[in-house]
Amino acid sequence: MSNDKDCIFCKIIRGEIPSSKVYEDDALLGFKDIHPSAPVHVLLIPKKHIARLSEASADDQAVLGRMMLVAPQIAREQGSVDGLRTIINDGRVGRQDVFHLHMHVLGGPGPLGRMIARDE
Ligand code: 5GP
Ligand code: ZN
């Protein structure tokens, strides 16, 4: 659990860095993104340090599934009552900045922009 000494999200889990928590259970933590890209922008993370989605293993299947189920609940509770968007950035191609697996939970109230811009 949350045991990577230098990982910023592990530090948030351990309470060493403050965050605006919106969801917590035994396996997951949800907190507001410090630089929101939408009216609702929550980061949902496993308490276990998994660096990136592409390094998750079969042992992580249950926690990954739980993230998918919890995300709509968080979006709804935060005011995005008619849908949401989830994003998991992975590695260089996905422009991942923080190497502790996290799901961006994005929502309105109004519709978000269409998908993602791509650098040419
Ligand atoms: P990534 O690009 O890795 O998918 O997203 C990392 C996200 O973490 C960014 O949206 C960034 O704003 C957010 N973030 C980085 N550091 C912190 C922090 O200390 N606290 C919070 N709440 N969010 C952070
Ligand atoms: Zn971590």
Side-chain angles (χ1 to χ4, degrees), residues 2-41:
S2 67
N3 53 6
D4 188 298
K5 190 166 63 67
D6 299 320
C7 168
I8 184 170
F9 287 175
C10 284
K11 287 182 181 177
I12 285 176
I13 293 164
R14 294 197 299 263
E16 295 167 13
I17 293 177
S19 68
S20 297
K21 291 182 192 174
V22 299
Y23 178 85
E24 183 164 17
D25 64 30
D26 56 322
L28 302 178
L29 183 70
F31 54 95
K32 292 186 181 178
D33 195 293
I34 204 163
H35 293 125
S37 300
V40 173
H41 191 171

Side-chain angles (χ1 to χ4, degrees), residues 4 7 13 43 61 72 76 97 101 105 109 115-116 118:
D4 188 298
C7 168
I13 293 164
L43 300 174
Q61 186 167 326
R76 211 163 32 242
D97 288 327
L101 170 63
V105 179
M115 294 304 288
I116 298 298
R118 181 166 165 267

